[in-house]
Amino acid sequence: NFFYIIFLIIFILVVENRHYFDDEIVSLIFINDVKNKNFLSFFNYINSFDVSPPLQYYFAHLGNVFFGDYKYASLMALPLYFIFFHYLYNGLKRKKLDDYLINIFFITIVLSPIIYIWCTSIRWYSFWFPLYLITFSIIFFKDKITNVDRTILLICFVLMFYLSYLTIILLLAY
């Protein structure tokens, strides 16, 4: 799909040209202190310094290991956005929206600066937001939720909880 390619290009350009902001620098300090430790030690160390759930730090660490630079850690969330786009597109088609309106909707999303501001950082929201969008798309755009959808929802909510405790509020809202 054309929108996937545009989104990918803009996302990578934003990541390539970004600078760290204050709480990202704190995250990097935490991560650098534990980069040679195993998963459990990593979580225990982070939990001793930060009251936030530790998964954001581990995703950033994995992004650094995989891409060789923390700047690119948010690229680990890209597959989540493509899953969201898949669910959203199919949900809008099921709602029998005209292709023109669906394209306008996707243009609005793909060109939205807020997506790139929030989702290219190395903080919890860069991973939490696409998980939220996936859950939103499944819950609100699917007529019938299958077992696969339930499994995806469960995985998303568990990951979201380990990224931010705000997920509890979201679950209560649903």
Side-chain angles (χ1 to χ4, degrees):
N1 189 325
F2 175 71
F3 295 112
Y4 287 48
I5 295 167
I6 296 298
F7 182 78
L8 178 64
I9 291 169
I10 294 173
F11 198 95
I12 290 172
L13 286 173
V14 169
V15 167
E16 183 63 35
N17 293 296
R18 67 184 305 280
H19 301 284
Y20 300 121
F21 57 92
D22 55 354
D23 57 339
E24 286 182 303
I25 294 169
V26 171
S27 296
L28 292 175
I29 292 168
F30 285 161
I31 295 164
N32 281 324
D33 286 345
V34 295
K35 67 181 172 188
N36 293 321
K37 296 184 180 179
N38 67 33
F39 186 77
L40 188 57
S41 295
F42 191 96
F43 271 43
N44 288 335
Y45 180 80
I46 293 297
N47 280 331
S48 70
F49 288 94
D50 193 355
V51 296
S52 299
L55 193 57
Q56 66 173 325
Y57 300 106
Y58 200 70
F59 280 160
H61 171 68
L62 291 176
N64 182 50
V65 169
F66 189 73
F67 296 110
D69 190 334
Y70 288 112
K71 180 164 93 169
Y72 302 109
S74 61
L75 293 176
M76 301 223 4
L78 270 174
L80 299 173
Y81 286 100
F82 294 135
I83 293 169
F84 157 64
F85 289 150
H86 168 77
Y87 273 107
L88 180 64
Y89 179 79
N90 289 325
L92 293 173
K93 287 299 268 186
R94 269 192 300 286
K95 298 293 181 190
K96 304 202 184 330
L97 286 179
D98 182 89
D99 282 341
Y100 177 77
L101 290 175
I102 292 172
N103 288 336
I104 294 295
F105 193 71
F106 267 85
I107 288 170
T108 304
I109 291 173
V110 167
L111 297 180
S112 170
I114 199 69
I115 292 276
Y116 303 103
I117 291 169
W118 286 100
C119 302
T120 59
S121 76
I122 53 170
R123 294 292 292 164
W124 62 271
Y125 30 82
S126 65
F127 303 103
W128 191 90
F129 189 64
L131 292 167
Y132 164 74
L133 292 173
I134 291 168
T135 62
F136 178 83
S137 296
I138 291 173
I139 291 170
F140 291 104
F141 289 116
K142 297 257 333 202
D143 295 327
K144 183 176 192 282
I145 296 178
T146 65
N147 286 336
V148 171
D149 296 329
R150 285 185 188 91
T151 302
I152 291 171
L153 283 171
L154 178 65
I155 291 168
C156 284
F157 280 122
V158 167
L159 290 173
M160 288 167 67
F161 180 75
Y162 282 102
L163 287 165
S164 173
Y165 296 129
L166 293 174
T167 304
I168 294 170
I169 297 169
L170 177 68
L171 285 171
L172 293 174
Y174 278 155

